[in-house]
Amino acid sequence: KEKGYKECRATADWLLSNTQVRPTVGIVCGSGMGGLADMLKDPQVIKYSDIPNFPQSTVHGHAGRLVFGTLKGKPCVCMQGRFHLYEGYPVQKTTLPMRIFKLMGVETMILTNAAGGLNQDYKVGDIMIIKDHINMPGFAGINPLKGPNDERFGARFPCMSDAYDRELRQLAHEVASELGYSDFLREGVYVVLGGPSFETIAECRMLHTLGADAVGMSTVHEVIVARHAGMRCFAMSLISNRSVMDYDSQEKANHEEVLETGRLRAEQLQKLVSNMVARLERN
Ligand code: 6GU
């Protein structure tokens, strides 16, 4: 039942036979950020439920479809809706699309997510470029690369110290500055948890002490698999709420504010991503 190289190859070929687009850029839309896919010109939409070997998406705010098209002339594929550990998938299943994208010819991944701001300088609506991650499920043995390694995808022990491409982060800073977004642009460390429950106060304090600036439930596993396969990665978090750090606070994290913040920043996120894609050199 587990999907290996053969299934990924078959799915990639099936997709390539169902679209004229030959994507070199892959985009993953975070919760409330599905509008990123609406930027693609001449979109060709394929529902996850129609794609052989593809998992199905279950979360409200995630559409569950691939959108192919061009963005500023560059051929792209966009995931509208991603797969999370908390939906009950084994972690290998949540990252399967990365391998399929690789086999379709994608070289650069751009991933977005909604996250809680652990760094108390961060405000709701800030955009954090991810410069590094802490894979908490990894500490508990949950890693998408666990098990036999297929060398056709990548190496047994892939390096992760360069997971978030330095040039792409630099490009994001340049583009954001040109757009006048510097006031709400940050760069920091993202920590992933399994979810679906949000963090306790003690957990937020611990995560912040460990060096994390934002906390969420996605992206890291996808980046590990994408890096394993040799794709370069850029990721950013939209800060949808400030993590509660003290026992007097009455604030509570909830999914509605995640979607609401997505709406608030949709336009800026779209401009940031599209202007970055416009200036990608390879591709
Ligand atoms: Cl506060 N925590 C987690 N784990 N994920 C989130 C979030 C918080 N806000 C958006 N996504």
Side-chain angles (χ1 to χ4, degrees), residues 146-166:
K146 189 159 136 175
N149 185 60
D150 191 326
E151 295 280 337
R152 287 171 290 188
F153 288 118
R156 171 75 286 190
F157 300 109
C159 178
M160 285 295 143
S161 56
D162 58 353
Y164 300 88
D165 189 86
R166 183 183 295 274

Side-chain angles (χ1 to χ4, degrees), residues 28 82-85 91 94-95 98 111-113 128 130-139 142-145 160 163-164 189-194 214-228 233-237:
V28 181
R82 60 146 60 90
F83 307 107
H84 303 85
L85 278 180
V91 66
T94 68
T95 56
M98 299 303 106
L111 305 103
T112 63
N113 62 54
M128 186 188 86
I130 300 180
K131 73 169 174 210
D132 202 352
H133 72 226
I134 299 173
N135 178 17
M136 289 295 263
F139 295 176
I142 298 173
N143 187 302
L145 302 178
M160 285 295 143
Y164 300 88
V189 174
Y190 177 86
V191 59
V192 64
L193 304 179
V215 55
M217 305 173 191
S218 69
T219 308
V220 167
H221 307 106
E222 293 153 332
V223 167
I224 290 171
V225 170
R227 290 299 301 148
H228 178 247
C233 291
F234 173 81
M236 57 189 168
S237 294

Side-chain angles (χ1 to χ4, degrees), residues 100-122:
I100 294 166
F101 284 7
K102 169 69 181 184
L103 295 181
M104 291 179 70
V106 170
E107 297 168 349
T108 304
M109 284 302 309
I110 297 176
L111 305 103
T112 63
N113 62 54
L118 295 164
N119 185 324
Q120 293 301 288
D121 294 339
Y122 290 6

Side-chain angles (χ1 to χ4, degrees), residues 114-116 198-199 215-217 240-241 253 258:
F198 288 116
E199 304 69 49
V215 55
M217 305 173 191
S240 60
N241 57 283
V258 173

Side-chain angles (χ1 to χ4, degrees), residues 45-90:
V45 177
I46 305 180
K47 295 200 301 284
Y48 294 163
S49 54
D50 292 334
I51 306 173
N53 302 318
F54 222 73
Q56 308 304 315
S57 160
T58 65
V59 196
H60 174 62
H62 287 265
R65 53 193 213 159
L66 290 186
V67 183
F68 292 87
T70 58
L71 184 52
K72 306 267 180 157
K74 302 241 169 42
C76 293
V77 57
C78 195
M79 282 184 80
Q80 237 179 359
R82 60 146 60 90
F83 307 107
H84 303 85
L85 278 180
Y86 62 74
E87 293 173 84
Y89 300 113

